């Protein structure tokens, strides 16, 4: 049974989900359907992944009520201006084939674009929350500096902040800032896109626990209280990643994994202060 985390707006999010970054659009429906069959009810997609349609089709075909699912999507970097964001959000709902989304995020703050004005973008997400089409709203890749601007200039504290976190980039300072302000932390690239799985410290703990390295790392996140949604297009791994609630890591194992941190060098993704990628269409 996947535990729920209560967000600052009173809604509950399953702590484990299925991420679909880099799942090719034509494969997304089948991959998501398989994840649903295994038991996942929380799916993390984004406009820029171009695979919201496949997620929506799998949910529709599952035969389960829409209310059983927790679906997250994220605003494209190309759509930060308010009218663009409104159009993009309409398209997200239509691609997903749903009249509401559980959680909608600003994907990147883009402080070097749009005159650095992600506040106008956040106000537009506040509209989606007010009209009920986004049950919760949040951000991704926001640093404490970016968050502070939202606290100072708007009325809504984000429900979540989705940031890169894994044993090579534990990001504890940013996690603590979010926690202090009641923002739930979502850890993306939780197994560093596979890079941490051969680490001798992790394989040793996995051997002792009788679990795989991926299960040990995902369990580490769960015990830290973060929300995770590992991605895999391999059915056996999707299943394996779901089987992390029948064992516990002791304090020494938790500390040993945390000590693998490599700081900034450990990132697999971009630095939010400089990322300025904008998709062309
Ligand atoms: N907000 C953001 O900017 C942002 C950025 C990155 C990611 N995300 C979100 O976070 C999710 C997860 O992050 P991610 O996709 O970057 O990386 P990840 O989940 O850390 O790793 C995915 C990679 O690990 C492999 N893998 C998965 N489970 C495995 C297992 N049990 N054993 C061995 N290898 C395994 C997958 O291979 P196969 O697929 O080949 O099996 C894939 O290559 C994304 O899907 C997305 O939803 C958000």
């Amino acid at each position: 049974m996947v535990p729920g985390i209560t967000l600052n707006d009173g809604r509950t999010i399953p702590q484990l989900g299925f991420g679909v970054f880099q799942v090719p659009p034509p494969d997304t429906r089948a991959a998501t359907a398989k994840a649903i069959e295994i038991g996942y009810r929380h799916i993390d997609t984004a406009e820029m992944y171009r695979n919201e349609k496949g997620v929506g089709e799998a949910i529709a075909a599952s035969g389960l009520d829409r209310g059983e699912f927790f679906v997250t999507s994220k605003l494209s970097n190309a759509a930060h201006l308010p009218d663009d964001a409104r159009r993009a959000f309409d398209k997200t709902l239509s691609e997903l084939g749903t009249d509401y989304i559980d959680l909608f995020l600003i994907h990147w703050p883009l402080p070097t674009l749009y005159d650095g004005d992600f506040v106008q973008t956040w106000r537009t997400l506040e509209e989606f929350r007010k009209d009920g089409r986004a049950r919760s709203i949040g951000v991704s890749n926001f640093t404490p500096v970016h968050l502070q601007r939202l606290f100072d200039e708007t009325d809504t504290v984000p429900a979540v902040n989705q940031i890169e976190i894994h044993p090579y980039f534990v990001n504890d300072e940013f996690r603590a800032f979010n926690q202090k302000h009641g923002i739930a932390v979502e850890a993306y690239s939780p197994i560093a896109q596979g890079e941490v799985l051969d680490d001798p410290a992790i394989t040793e703990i996995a051997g002792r626990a009788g679990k795989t390295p991926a299960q040990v790392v995902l369990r580490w996140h769960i015990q830290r209280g973060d929300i995770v949604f590992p991605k895999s297009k391999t059915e056996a791994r999707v299943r394996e990643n779901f089987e992390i609630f029948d064992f516990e890591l002791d304090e020494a194992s938790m500390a040993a994994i945390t000590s693998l941190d490599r700081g900034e060098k450990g990132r697999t993704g971009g630095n939010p202060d400089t990322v300025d990628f904008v998709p062309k269409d």
Side-chain angles (χ1 to χ4, degrees), residues 74-150:
K74 318 183 191 85
L75 183 70
S76 168
N77 288 356
H80 272 218
L81 295 176
D83 277 344
D84 294 338
R86 291 181 190 112
R87 271 191 293 272
F89 184 64
D90 289 347
K91 183 156 178 247
T92 277
L93 294 183
S94 107
E95 293 282 297
L96 286 166
T98 180
D99 53 7
Y100 74 92
I101 192 153
D102 296 276
L103 176 62
F104 196 62
L105 310 180
I106 299 181
H107 204 149
W108 289 91
L110 306 176
T112 64
L113 301 178
Y114 303 103
D115 298 323
D117 188 0
F118 47 77
V119 174
Q120 62 177 338
T121 316
W122 182 243
R123 291 209 177 99
T124 313
L125 265 65
E126 284 182 309
E127 289 173 16
F128 307 154
R129 173 152 148 73
K130 278 199 192 94
D131 70 24
R133 293 183 304 152
R135 299 273 164 96
S136 298
I137 54 172
V139 294
S140 176
N141 295 297
F142 272 49
T143 69
V145 171
H146 306 139
L147 288 172
Q148 191 61 50
R149 275 194 66 190
L150 300 188

Side-chain angles (χ1 to χ4, degrees), residues 21 44 140 162 189 191 193 231-234 237 241:
F21 176 43
D44 186 273
S140 176
Q162 184 175 127
S189 302
I191 55 173
Q193 304 195 330
K231 170 263 173 185
S232 176
K233 53 181 168 52
T234 315
R237 290 173 172 175
N241 296 344

Side-chain angles (χ1 to χ4, degrees), residues 152-174:
D152 293 345
E153 298 177 44
T154 75
D155 297 329
T156 315
V157 174
V160 313
N161 189 8
Q162 184 175 127
I163 53 179
E164 180 174 350
I165 301 173
H166 47 72
Y168 289 163
F169 189 63
V170 303
N171 217 345
D172 272 342
E173 210 182 302
F174 281 19

Side-chain angles (χ1 to χ4, degrees), residues 47-48 59 65 94 125 134 147 176 221 262 267 269 277:
E47 291 171 357
M48 291 194 290
I59 289 174
D65 282 351
S94 107
L125 265 65
L147 288 172
H221 286 284
R262 297 176 176 175
R267 272 190 201 279
F277 166 75

